[in-house]
Amino acid sequence: MTIYGVAILAGCTLIGAILGKLLGVLMGINANVGGVGIAMLLLLAITSQSQGSFSLKPITASGITFFSAMYIPIVVAMAAKQDVYAAISGGWMALAAGGCAVLASFALIPLLTRLQMRA
Amino acid sequence: MNMEIVSEILVKNGLLTAFVFVGLLVFLSYRLSHLLTRGRLHGSAVAITLGLVLAYLGGKYTGGSDGIADVPILAGVGIMGGAMLRDFAIVSTAFGADLSALRRAGLVGGLSVIIGVVLSFIVGAVVAVAFGYGDAVSVSTIGAGAATYIVGPVTGSALGASSDVIALSVAAGLVKSVMVMVGTPLVARLIGLDNPASAMIYGGLMGTTSGVAAGLAATDEKLVPYGAMTATFYTGVGCLLAPSILYICVKALLG
């Protein structure tokens, strides 16, 4: 049933959020460390066991694929609720600090990709 | 027609109103992408950019901090685009991702998170010094803000920075997030952002979850899980490094 897929997805997201928060507490910081990443790995681990006792029926999978198809609209809504006004009215220093950080990071991507290819 | 009844229903069913609103926005964006750029600038990139423009207008006219979601009728956009559904949707993209690609680029992906935090911090700190800030606390807070808009205030309150410096660090982080959203599809080809490995490095270097989520959505949806995977560790690493090691380095340098 579709709800099984939705439940698996929600369960993974919640477990990831809890583990990420616990990891943050262990490190002594008030932040979620990798909660989404942990949830993704968990989902991959569960759903990639296609043989044997646990196989995902297509109808179950549709509970997951529906939300990945909703990804872009959700991101569009996310963009529409950003505090863009504060970003732009933060003045030249905020624009320079944020902007230069982005440019420097973009510039480093090809370098690190090449490093990865060689490794 | 009684407009009050209409708006009452729209406000009461906020999430449904948001679905209609975002649906129309996405439809319009894909048409614009097709008509104006012949699809060269992807429809999702247009939609995200329009979303940001609306967010700017919302912030300007309502004075709130949630963009267009501060308009009462569109409050549902805040739920639809909030952290809960955003993370839920990001996790769902992992379904069908290539586990071996993740494993192969895992080490350099992890490395890119640390490099990304340190790089953004240094760049932000240098800009702060260039704009006349001389004390280690302010410089570190602004540097941390250049990492993400969460690392900035976390660092600032840990070090006891003044509230206007903390506000600046949030603004720097917001600028970064917006620039990553808009800039990624434009530079994607130039920086070779077209495979899982480079997407993981990209996520690690950029770090802003919303920026990376939108940037990859506007570039190639298939790359989302790889970039999101590394980006999710960035804020945590930033909150760990910025108020400790990085602050100590700044203090040593500024005397």
Side-chain angles (χ1 to χ4, degrees):
Chain A
M1 283 206 281
T2 310
I3 181 64
Y4 297 161
V6 180
I8 290 171
L9 178 58
C12 288
T13 309
L14 288 173
I15 293 170
I18 292 167
L19 291 179
K21 192 80 195 179
L22 282 177
L23 205 57
V25 171
L26 279 179
M27 292 162 93
I29 49 179
N30 185 25
N32 188 314
V33 183
V36 172
I38 296 167
M40 290 168 101
L41 290 174
L42 209 59
L43 183 70
L44 269 174
I46 292 174
T47 55
S48 61
Q49 282 175 329
S50 46
Q51 310 101 327
S53 57
F54 197 96
S55 72
L56 225 54
K57 292 208 179 90
I59 186 78
T60 305
S62 75
I64 302 171
T65 49
F66 172 76
F67 284 98
S68 59
M70 282 299 284
Y71 177 76
I72 285 178
I74 285 173
V75 163
V76 171
M78 177 198 79
K81 67 153 284 191
Q82 299 292 309
D83 200 354
V84 182
Y85 186 69
I88 290 175
S89 46
W92 286 109
M93 203 205 66
L95 285 173
C100 294
V102 174
L103 293 181
S105 306
F106 274 149
L108 217 57
I109 293 173
L111 269 156
L112 282 177
T113 308
R114 223 169 293 152
L115 188 81
Q116 199 269 335
M117 301 279 199
R118 226 177 283 165
Chain B
M1 266 293 282
N2 197 332
M3 284 309 287
E4 255 169 54
I5 294 180
V6 174
S7 75
E8 187 194 314
I9 298 289
L10 294 184
V11 169
K12 253 189 186 161
N13 299 283
L15 188 56
L16 302 186
T17 309
F19 287 155
V20 174
F21 177 75
V22 174
L24 289 173
L25 186 62
V26 169
F27 175 75
L28 183 75
S29 303
Y30 276 76
R31 291 309 298 266
L32 281 177
S33 152
H34 185 73
L35 288 173
L36 296 181
T37 74
R38 289 169 186 253
R40 207 174 304 157
L41 189 60
H42 201 271
S44 51
V46 177
I48 289 161
T49 310
L50 280 182
L52 291 170
V53 171
L54 289 171
Y56 174 84
L57 295 173
K60 187 170 182 190
Y61 291 110
T62 66
S65 61
D66 277 336
I68 200 75
D70 282 320
V71 176
I73 279 187
L74 295 173
V77 172
I79 303 170
M80 184 176 172
M84 179 175 71
L85 278 177
R86 182 198 66 191
D87 289 353
F88 193 53
I90 291 176
V91 173
S92 76
T93 64
F95 185 61
D98 184 359
L99 204 58
S100 65
L102 279 174
R103 213 170 294 150
R104 246 180 292 132
L107 182 70
V108 79
L111 201 68
S112 70
V113 174
I114 296 168
I115 295 172
V117 168
V118 175
L119 178 71
S120 289
F121 182 92
I122 292 174
V123 171
V126 167
V127 169
V129 171
F131 274 81
Y133 285 88
D135 64 297
V137 170
S138 300
V139 169
S140 301
T141 304
I142 293 162
T148 72
Y149 56 77
I150 298 172
V151 183
V154 166
T155 304
S157 44
L159 299 177
S162 67
S163 67
D164 57 312
V165 168
I166 291 179
L168 269 177
S169 79
V170 174
L174 285 171
V175 167
K176 181 181 183 184
S177 163
V178 170
M179 267 195 67
V180 172
M181 289 187 203
V182 179
T184 303
L186 302 178
V187 299
R189 201 170 301 169
L190 194 69
I191 58 178
L193 183 60
D194 57 7
N195 59 76
S198 60
M200 281 181 79
I201 291 164
Y202 161 85
L205 284 176
M206 296 301 159
T208 143
T209 311
S210 30
V212 166
L216 287 178
T219 306
D220 181 358
E221 218 187 328
K222 281 191 233 50
L223 298 177
V224 169
Y226 308 100
M229 180 73 76
T230 43
T232 171
F233 288 94
Y234 188 98
T235 288
V237 170
C239 292
L240 191 67
L241 295 181
S244 56
I245 305 168
L246 293 173
Y247 167 66
I248 292 167
C249 293
V250 170
K251 212 176 166 192
L253 279 170
L254 291 177

